[in-house]
Amino acid sequence: QSPQVARAGGRRGRGRAAMDKPRRPVVVTGFGPFGEHSVNASWIAVQELEKLGLGDDVDLYVYEIPVEYQAVQRLIPALWKKHSPQLVVHVGLSGMATTVTLEKCGHNVGYRGLDNCRFCPGSHCCVEGGPECIDSVIDMDQVCKRVSDLDLDVLVTISKDAGRYLCDFTYYTSLYQSHGRSAFVHVPPLGKPYTAEQLGRALQAIIEEMLNVLEHSESDINCHNEH
């Protein structure tokens, strides 16, 4: 895996409905291997999501991101510039997790863990002079409740601490770039307890609800501005 380029895939929505609605570009990323995790469940789950798609009016683009700070700093802005997405969702692996976890915010400081290149930012932060914490514009509590009401066979929870490693670093970098228009989902290792297919279906439901919440919140803003 070259740090220069993220491995990419893409899927366009199909069907007659795609002719009627404006296209919505959505980017979803997973991470490559790191440490003891020779297979990263996040990328496997994203590949399962790619098979399922996100409906006829969504252009889904998926990327595998290396577990490298400098690659993240280069790739995240490039993805926003290339696709101008309605939403970017980053998916990461948490070895301690037993649920699928929606992260509310990213943190700027406290990065001391070495990446796959044995590198760590000298400043121990994402963006020098940036705010300490950036919240997603998406109401994760609302998304969690809606997905939980769907009775999927996957437990979804909320977190305010994405871990101060590459996951948190990526999330903050993306939130800073997008003015909060990003999301992060942590998944547990494969088989502990969920299969790749279960994680893929969970991601599909979560991201569809995120898009719904985002759309409704923007409609409310537009209505407020018109009156």
Side-chain angles (χ1 to χ4, degrees):
Q1 175 71 52
S2 165
Q4 303 297 323
V5 184
R7 272 175 50 194
R11 176 192 175 93
R12 293 186 175 273
R14 298 180 178 86
R16 186 169 294 174
M19 304 293 290
D20 304 328
K21 293 183 180 180
R23 314 294 300 170
R24 296 187 293 172
V26 173
V27 171
V28 182
T29 73
F31 285 97
F34 72 101
E36 65 189 33
H37 303 286
S38 57
V39 174
N40 194 317
S42 69
W43 177 235
I44 301 297
V46 169
Q47 289 177 297
E48 289 295 324
L49 168 68
E50 186 183 15
K51 295 177 192 174
L52 297 169
L54 288 170
D56 286 334
D57 64 327
V58 171
D59 287 336
L60 172 61
Y61 302 95
V62 302
Y63 290 88
E64 181 184 17
I65 303 266
V67 180
E68 300 166 17
Y69 292 106
Q70 291 174 311
V72 166
Q73 286 182 316
R74 185 173 56 250
L75 289 168
I76 299 306
L79 291 178
W80 278 97
K81 185 176 180 181
K82 179 177 181 179
H83 296 293
S84 298
Q86 181 164 11
L87 176 66
V88 172
V89 180
H90 305 286
V91 184
L93 168 67
S94 170
M96 299 177 292
T98 55
T99 65
V100 173
T101 310
L102 311 183
E103 299 290 348
K104 287 189 165 189
C105 56
H107 302 88
N108 192 23
V109 298
Y111 295 93
R112 298 181 182 278
L114 298 179
D115 66 11
N116 280 357
C117 294
R118 309 286 301 164
F119 175 82
C120 172
S123 62
H124 306 297
C125 75
C126 300
V127 179
E128 291 192 49
E132 188 169 329
C133 180
I134 303 177
D135 292 324
S136 174
V137 298
I138 297 167
D139 184 338
M140 296 300 176
D141 292 297
Q142 192 176 2
V143 172
C144 185
K145 182 180 185 308
R146 287 186 177 193
V147 173
S148 298
D149 288 345
L150 296 174
D151 290 329
L152 294 174
D153 51 357
V154 172
L155 187 61
V156 180
T157 58
I158 297 286
S159 163
K160 293 182 179 178
D161 182 2
R164 298 305 205 289
Y165 189 49
L166 264 294
C167 290
D168 212 344
F169 190 88
T170 298
Y171 195 17
Y172 184 93
T173 302
S174 192
L175 288 165
Y176 186 86
Q177 179 78 25
S178 65
H179 305 289
R181 206 182 179 85
S182 303
F184 198 101
V185 181
H186 262 127
V187 298
L190 289 177
K192 297 183 178 181
Y194 304 120
T195 65
E197 292 79 9
Q198 285 176 305
L199 293 176
R201 286 196 303 273
L203 285 181
Q204 182 188 44
I206 287 165
I207 297 170
E208 286 176 349
E209 290 301 340
M210 285 178 175
L211 287 169
N212 288 337
V213 167
L214 198 55
E215 203 170 302
H216 288 141
S217 65
E218 287 176 347
S219 297
D220 291 343
I221 290 167
N222 290 337
C223 288
H224 180 73
N225 290 340
E226 287 167 7
H227 291 91

